[in-house]
Amino acid sequence: MGRKRKNRSNSATAGSIPEAAPSEAIEPSSSAIRGSENRVPVPLDTSNSQEVKKAVDKKSLSMLNKLYYFCTRRPKAHEELSVLVSMFGVYLNRKDGYTMKPKGWVNDMVILAAGKIMMEEEKATNGVVTRHMFSPQFVNKVICDLNQSNEDSYKPWCIEDVSLFILPSKLGYDINQCKLIFAPTLFEEHWSCYAFEPKDKILYVLDSMHDKFSTRKKNLDDAMKRRFEELLVLMNPGLTKENASITLLRVDVPRQQNIHDCGIYVLKYMEIWDGSIKWQDKTMPDYQRKEILKFRQSLICGWVQHPKNEVREELLKAAGLWGKLC
């Protein structure tokens, strides 16, 4: 911009088309037409466009890596509560974002935000929610009741105990009509997940460290089975305790390769698990380490760049990427 246009030269420059005489421009000769018909087409040279695409992809990846580092670097004391994601009534601050670093152990706020965003995006795309995600507080309540040393630990729930989790007036839809209900679980410093299928009354246990569970974990499985049976009755007043019995199944999902990726596996369960065997003899793929790292990056960067993120423009400007990743 701002450059002066040069005067056109009388002689043709490289790549330009010489001006033809008026008669030739209006009525080209038959020999010129025949010559163009007999001309062998020159193959397009795509090497240049491929190089350009590679350069663009490399630049985009570099900028994405820059944004990922910006969102997951250790925050200074005065930055911990500054907001990274604000949408759909959920908030993630820099302290939460830090748990999405390559070897970070994701916290409950990340799990909560991911579930809410998944449900809102499904509703926006399909008009309904078929995969409901309980907040981690649901299982926390089950664990809290289980840890009580008196008879109240087995006291049946009433609607007031779980209204925030199941009532259509609170959620905007009937979760009993959902195909799957997920309950992400933090227990003994490890993330796992329960997936309930209301239609077939099956409660699945999805755990990336499924071959190592304690007696306390087995007790939690039994407590979750009992609580979901109570939920069925509360969601369907016509049911009784006798005909609300459910089956608990432990699923053979791929095992995590370290001690810090369990939360990422739970996020993938919530995103794609449906009980179908699609990956050889498993219901989930056996992720490689680089794939898990890519999930971490794509999730946090995707949330920050989300059109509904109220602080999106502010953050991209702070990261020096406004107008580059938009």
Side-chain angles (χ1 to χ4, degrees):
M1 296 179 62
R3 292 180 297 181
K4 293 184 179 179
R5 185 176 298 175
K6 295 182 179 180
N7 294 329
R8 183 176 297 174
S9 172
N10 292 332
S11 58
T13 58
S16 65
I17 301 176
E19 294 183 0
S23 58
E24 291 180 350
I26 296 173
E27 188 177 359
S29 65
S30 58
S31 60
I33 295 175
R34 286 194 299 271
S36 64
E37 290 176 346
N38 297 329
R39 189 177 300 125
V40 178
V42 179
L44 294 175
D45 182 9
T46 60
S47 61
N48 187 49
S49 60
Q50 289 174 351
E51 289 299 320
V52 170
K53 184 178 184 304
K54 287 180 181 179
V56 171
D57 291 344
K58 186 176 181 180
K59 184 177 180 181
S60 298
L61 180 59
S62 175
M63 290 189 291
L64 195 64
N65 289 336
K66 183 178 179 181
L67 179 61
Y68 180 56
Y69 173 76
F70 177 82
C71 295
T72 60
R73 63 172 171 78
R74 182 188 294 273
K76 298 177 182 178
H78 69 279
E79 296 178 320
E80 288 186 347
L81 300 181
S82 60
V83 179
L84 287 177
V85 178
S86 173
M87 57 182 169
F88 306 127
V90 296
Y91 305 90
L92 292 178
N93 57 37
R94 283 195 168 277
K95 197 173 181 179
D96 303 320
Y98 181 60
T99 70
M100 291 292 283
K101 65 180 182 177
K103 292 185 179 180
W105 189 65
V106 299
N107 65 8
D108 56 346
M109 289 305 299
V110 169
I111 300 289
L112 172 66
K116 182 66 173 177
I117 293 170
M118 288 178 194
M119 290 187 289
E120 291 291 342
E121 289 184 334
E122 185 184 16
K123 186 192 299 183
T125 302
N126 303 323
V128 295
V129 175
T130 63
R131 302 167 68 87
H132 180 77
M133 287 82 173
F134 281 143
S135 72
Q137 283 67 37
F138 174 81
V139 179
N140 288 349
K141 178 172 177 55
V142 178
I143 295 172
C144 181
D145 291 347
L146 186 63
N147 288 339
Q148 295 185 38
S149 59
N150 53 41
E151 60 184 14
D152 288 341
S153 61
Y154 287 94
K155 181 181 177 181
W157 281 349
C158 62
I159 192 64
E160 287 76 15
D161 293 320
V162 291
S163 60
L164 290 174
F165 299 110
I166 67 171
L167 284 185
S169 59
K170 303 291 185 181
L171 302 175
Y173 52 87
D174 184 1
I175 66 170
N176 196 43
Q177 301 302 315
C178 295
K179 294 179 179 178
L180 287 168
I181 301 172
F182 293 87
T185 303
L186 179 59
F187 184 68
E188 295 183 335
E189 299 185 344
H190 171 66
W191 282 107
S192 61
C193 189
Y194 294 91
F196 180 57
E197 196 172 27
K199 181 180 178 182
D200 295 329
K201 299 177 184 177
I202 301 176
L203 181 63
Y204 299 94
V205 183
L206 311 175
D207 190 342
S208 55
M209 295 186 74
H210 50 82
D211 57 345
K212 290 185 178 180
F213 60 92
S214 62
T215 301
R216 293 185 68 236
K217 178 60 167 64
K218 184 181 182 305
N219 291 340
L220 176 60
D221 290 347
D222 295 339
M224 287 294 292
K225 177 180 180 296
R226 185 176 68 253
R227 292 308 190 188
F228 267 97
E229 288 173 343
E230 293 173 5
L231 286 183
L232 267 182
V233 175
L234 293 174
M235 293 187 295
N236 300 273
L239 287 178
T240 63
K241 183 178 180 181
E242 288 69 27
N243 55 20
S245 177
I246 67 176
T247 302
L248 185 139
L249 294 177
R250 294 182 176 85
V251 182
D252 184 17
V253 292
R255 181 179 170 81
Q256 66 189 78
Q257 302 300 312
N258 49 53
I259 62 172
H260 50 258
D261 282 336
C262 51
I264 303 300
Y265 276 81
V266 167
L267 294 179
K268 295 306 292 185
Y269 300 151
M270 292 162 58
E271 180 186 11
I272 68 173
W273 190 89
D274 62 5
S276 302
I277 296 178
K278 303 175 183 177
W279 296 273
Q280 296 180 345
D281 60 341
K282 297 255 187 331
T283 57
M284 287 291 290
D286 194 3
Y287 295 120
Q288 301 298 313
R289 181 176 177 273
K290 63 181 180 180
E291 292 177 299
I292 296 294
L293 289 174
K294 187 173 179 62
F295 293 154
R296 288 178 178 271
Q297 182 185 74
S298 60
L299 283 171
I300 188 66
C301 291
W303 297 337
V304 169
Q305 296 180 83
H306 199 289
K308 295 291 185 179
N309 184 16
E310 298 171 358
V311 294
R312 173 175 177 265
E313 180 178 341
E314 173 187 338
L315 284 171
L316 291 180
K317 284 182 177 178
L321 296 169
W322 179 249
K324 300 177 182 179
L325 280 171
C326 300

